[in-house]
Amino acid sequence: MERLSFRKVSIGLTLFFTAFLFLAVATLFFVPSPSEVVRSLRSAELLFSLRLSLLTSVTATLLVVLFGVPIGYSLSRFEFRGKSAVKSIIDLPMAFPELVLGLALLLLFGSTPVGRAAADIGVQVAFTKLGIVVAQFFTALPFAVRVIYTTFEGISRRYELVARSLGYSELETFIRVVLPMARGGLFASTIIAFARSMGAFGAVLILAGGTYMRTETLPITLYLNLSYGNLGMAITSGIVLVLVSFAAILLFEWLEGGRKVAGS
Amino acid sequence: MLEVENLTLSVGDFHLRGVSFSVKGRDYLTVIGPTGAGKSVLLEAIAGFYPLSSGRIALEGRDITREPPERREMSIVYQDYMLFPHMSVFDNIAFGLKKRRLSRGEIEREVLEIAEELHIDHLLHRKPGTLSGGEQQRVALARALIVGPKVLLMDEPFSALDTKTREELRSLVRLVIGKHGTTVIHVTHDFEDVFALAKHVAVMRDGRIVQFGTPEEVFSRPGDEFIASFVGTNLLRGRVEERSDGLTAVRVGDVILYTADEAEGEATLSLRPEEIILAREPKECSAQNVVPVEVAEMERRGQLVWLSLVSDGLSFRAVVTPNAVELLKIRPGERFYAIFKAKALRVVK
């Protein structure tokens, strides 16, 4: 009897929450008038910020995966001094408020020797498009590393030992055996990195400044227009963000599903 | 051929403490011992997967202690097959060959040849996940053997298989290993592997090799209490004399023993110590084996008394209760008859 009611309550809560979320997302689509959405979509500002968002997010995602794979692999496979400290520091931005992360990065690239050294070789991070990528990179990296690390942990070391004994070096083994076996996890981490980069707001706003038509990504378009009272534009950028994330999730599900069928 | 000297290392909770032994070419060494003794770590250390704290490994006179695994010319076969799931059976077997400068045709020919030997030539296009356990392990064997390793390392290769498949694979392995002349080190917890395959046995405990010898030596003359209780059984070696009335007569030393199993030529027999009854007189009984013996040694261990018995060119252990010792007045030097059924004497090889 008790089991049955617990089961009912759990299912009820699940359905209620799903309906609530669905309602909230639906509101986003039905509150503005279609003509307003279309007009906003055609505006130079929205087109600019969509293009900038896609460009920076794709760049940040590529960098995240490029760095995340060796980081995740070394955390999973190698023992080195200070490994547990490294693990917590990499995880830190996940629990860190994005705004504070942005502030910390801004200070680092502003008035420290690191920032000045970067400026000396012509790399301007603060208040630039590069700053957007840097902010997105740091926001997304911990999430991607988490997924990549778990993926490598799920692959028995013995596969690598077999490949090594058959004449393959460490790097050859990684490329020929580990990477193909980690394919699903790498796709997942790519999608997560992309979604985090697209949605990154706090860190991007502070490090890159959120300047109109210069360092304006979709979340910043939403924020700026909301604060001007330009509701149509704000909602439209929200819709575009949701659609892009949705497309990313669908792509992920599709690839995951395809992989499972192929593997079974 | 392979010399291991004073191997010492720690991997997590597993340790090797000064392991030394050597095997000759074409030898078949089985490593037995309780869980956690360090058997698998020993294999992986020989393969070069862990840096040693100290010690030395030499293969055909060449010091390979610091060589990476890919330059040791040893292959490894694991209990859980470890076939690469993203490759076909063909690509799995060909994996080691692809590192060598061989033409596509040569690779195909060699893969087909070994696949035929192991009866998996009809599976080459399949993915490993669709195969049975026995088939997967044969693919793993083919993948390991095709590179012609100087030493084949096997870590409980038959443990995940059912009894029938295990039997089949055991005889297949014996055949193929014999044909290729491969030197093998085989970690197992199944004494059947030892009886069927081994030329030598190493017993490991707590990161050390506590006894090394032929199966007969280790099973019939265990070095200490621990080994005796671990191996449990006596191993006797003899020659089949004749067969009649469903019994096989085997000459062991100067004694004729009868077994219910069939055998020919040289036979290895197993006799569990608890199957043996002692009596002062060779009384009428249903047991076919009545052997006059002398008690060489006796030792009380817990609730049981272990006896070392000797007869003409034959020695084995028996276990009795303290009560029986009192009743029969069993003392070292006393003479008795050891009585056991033909069914208790099993042919193991």
Side-chain angles (χ1 to χ4, degrees):
Chain A
M1 190 62 210
E2 200 183 327
R3 258 193 173 171
L4 193 67
S5 62
F6 174 67
R7 173 194 149 102
K8 278 182 178 165
V9 170
S10 302
I11 293 175
L13 280 172
T14 309
L15 290 179
F16 172 76
F17 178 75
T18 313
F20 198 83
L21 197 69
F22 184 76
L23 193 70
V25 176
T27 316
L28 190 67
F29 284 86
F30 292 118
V31 163
S33 68
S35 60
E36 203 175 5
V37 172
V38 171
R39 187 152 29 87
S40 304
L41 271 176
R42 284 184 179 161
S43 73
E45 183 185 1
L46 203 99
L47 286 175
F48 172 86
S49 93
L50 174 61
R51 260 183 45 207
L52 184 63
S53 266
L54 287 174
L55 189 73
T56 52
S57 297
V58 167
T59 312
T61 303
L62 287 177
L63 289 172
V64 163
V65 174
L66 208 65
F67 280 79
V69 168
I71 293 173
Y73 189 71
S74 57
L75 290 180
S76 157
R77 289 299 196 265
F78 305 133
E79 292 306 319
F80 51 91
R81 206 188 261 271
K83 179 173 164 179
S84 56
V86 168
K87 264 175 145 172
S88 354
I89 291 171
I90 287 183
D91 277 349
L92 203 60
M94 262 198 306
F96 227 54
E98 245 197 72
L99 281 168
V100 183
L101 176 69
L103 182 62
L105 287 172
L106 180 65
L107 292 175
L108 178 72
F109 286 109
S111 52
T112 62
V114 176
R116 278 194 291 275
D120 283 348
I121 56 167
V123 178
Q124 287 289 348
V125 176
F127 311 123
T128 63
K129 294 188 176 69
L130 180 61
I132 300 175
V133 176
V134 171
Q136 288 171 336
F137 175 81
F138 281 97
T139 316
L141 187 71
F143 293 90
V145 166
R146 215 357 106 88
V147 176
I148 293 169
Y149 168 78
T150 315
T151 306
F152 287 143
E153 283 288 282
I155 299 173
S156 169
R157 268 188 68 98
R158 290 179 163 183
Y159 287 108
E160 291 162 71
L161 301 185
V162 168
R164 293 292 300 279
S165 74
L166 292 171
Y168 289 76
S169 71
E170 223 167 3
L171 179 66
E172 286 167 333
T173 299
F174 182 71
I175 293 167
R176 296 286 303 268
V177 174
V178 183
L179 276 186
M181 287 181 71
R183 221 188 81 187
L186 294 183
F187 273 129
S189 68
T190 308
I191 297 304
I192 284 168
F194 181 73
R196 297 299 310 179
S197 300
M198 280 297 292
F201 171 66
V204 174
L205 179 70
I206 297 210
L207 186 61
T211 316
Y212 173 74
M213 294 286 273
R214 255 202 80 219
T215 54
E216 184 181 350
T217 58
L218 279 173
I220 289 170
T221 308
L222 192 156
Y223 169 74
L224 289 178
N225 282 286
L226 197 65
S227 50
Y228 306 150
N230 195 349
L231 206 57
M233 272 294 281
I235 294 173
T236 308
S237 45
I239 290 173
V240 173
L241 264 177
V242 168
L243 288 179
V244 172
S245 314
F246 231 81
I249 288 169
L250 282 180
L251 183 72
F252 166 63
E253 292 281 333
W254 179 67
L255 290 170
E256 263 296 288
R259 194 178 65 90
K260 268 184 197 141
V261 170
S264 65
Chain B
M1 181 225 189
L2 177 74
E3 287 158 71
V4 173
E5 273 171 39
N6 203 23
L7 221 62
T8 303
L9 70 95
S10 294
V11 184
D13 289 340
F14 296 99
H15 306 277
L16 296 180
R17 305 172 212 267
V19 173
S20 301
F21 67 90
S22 66
V23 290
K24 295 201 168 65
R26 305 182 78 104
D27 202 346
Y28 199 117
L29 172 67
T30 48
V31 182
I32 57 176
T35 310
K39 306 186 292 289
S40 300
V41 172
L42 175 64
L43 272 199
E44 296 187 341
I46 293 172
F49 299 149
Y50 306 117
L52 304 181
S53 307
S54 68
R56 182 175 170 274
I57 305 173
L59 183 64
E60 293 179 338
R62 185 170 66 99
D63 189 327
I64 56 162
T65 314
R66 310 221 171 276
E67 291 280 9
E70 59 268 29
R71 287 215 292 268
R72 293 198 179 200
E73 296 178 79
M74 300 184 187
S75 314
I76 190 157
V77 171
Y78 283 108
Q79 175 184 345
D80 30 11
Y81 328 123
M82 291 295 145
L83 298 176
F84 306 127
H86 57 291
M87 296 180 197
S88 68
V89 168
F90 179 93
D91 288 333
N92 264 282
I93 300 175
F95 191 73
L97 283 188
K98 286 183 179 165
K99 272 297 284 179
R100 303 176 179 183
R101 287 195 189 83
L102 292 176
S103 71
R104 180 81 199 165
E106 278 175 290
I107 291 180
E108 268 172 21
R109 194 176 46 75
E110 287 200 33
V111 170
L112 195 65
E113 192 178 315
I114 195 132
E116 276 168 3
E117 265 176 50
L118 288 161
H119 316 307
I120 42 174
D121 45 317
H122 58 297
L123 303 170
L124 290 175
H125 61 282
R126 300 257 292 269
K127 279 280 170 76
T130 66
L131 307 184
S132 73
E135 289 168 340
Q136 290 196 52
Q137 198 55 299
R138 280 182 278 158
V139 175
L141 263 169
R143 178 178 66 179
L145 282 172
I146 201 166
V147 294
K150 297 220 165 106
V151 182
L152 175 66
L153 306 166
M154 296 203 280
D155 192 355
E156 309 223 357
F158 312 133
S159 301
L161 309 172
D162 62 82
T163 319
K164 190 166 163 285
T165 314
R166 200 179 299 166
E167 285 287 327
E168 286 167 8
L169 211 54
R170 226 177 249 137
S171 34
L172 192 59
V173 162
R174 188 165 43 201
L175 206 74
V176 175
I177 296 293
K179 194 181 152 222
H180 289 250
T182 314
T183 308
V184 182
I185 303 179
H186 175 165
V187 164
T188 184
H189 67 256
D190 187 346
F191 294 156
E192 296 288 326
D193 290 343
V194 182
F195 303 149
L197 298 163
K199 289 182 185 154
H200 287 97
V201 186
V203 186
M204 278 192 84
R205 182 197 189 188
D206 210 10
R208 291 185 178 86
I209 290 186
V210 288
Q211 191 170 3
F212 189 100
T214 63
E216 290 75 24
E217 281 166 357
V218 171
F219 280 78
S220 295
R221 293 193 292 285
D224 62 24
E225 262 182 53
F226 160 78
I227 303 166
S229 63
F230 181 73
V231 299
T233 187
N234 291 295
L235 221 55
L236 308 171
R237 176 149 263 216
R239 221 188 139 67
V240 175
E241 298 269 293
E242 59 169 340
R243 210 183 138 66
S244 59
D245 294 342
L247 290 182
T248 308
V250 184
R251 174 178 291 277
V252 182
D254 289 327
V255 183
I256 304 283
L257 301 176
Y258 295 93
T259 166
D261 294 347
E262 289 182 28
E264 270 175 44
E266 296 287 327
T268 304
L269 306 157
S270 154
L271 174 63
R272 297 197 67 86
E274 61 272 21
E275 305 269 12
I276 299 166
I277 298 166
L278 286 190
R280 283 281 181 186
E281 299 298 328
K283 59 190 170 195
E284 289 283 318
C285 66
S286 63
Q288 294 84 347
N289 294 295
V290 181
V291 183
V293 292
E294 186 184 316
V295 177
E297 280 172 51
M298 59 187 291
E299 185 179 13
R300 174 150 187 175
R301 241 184 273 151
Q303 288 306 304
L304 294 169
V305 179
W306 288 79
L307 308 171
S308 296
L309 306 173
V310 291
S311 186
D312 294 332
L314 162 68
S315 68
F316 52 94
R317 290 170 303 129
V319 63
V320 292
T321 60
N323 208 13
V325 171
E326 281 304 305
L327 225 61
L328 291 167
K329 300 199 166 47
I330 301 176
R331 304 281 179 272
E334 296 276 314
R335 293 183 166 277
F336 292 89
Y337 288 90
I339 300 169
F340 48 93
K341 292 181 175 171
K343 274 200 173 137
L345 191 64
R346 306 302 308 263
V347 173
V348 294
K349 190 159 86 178

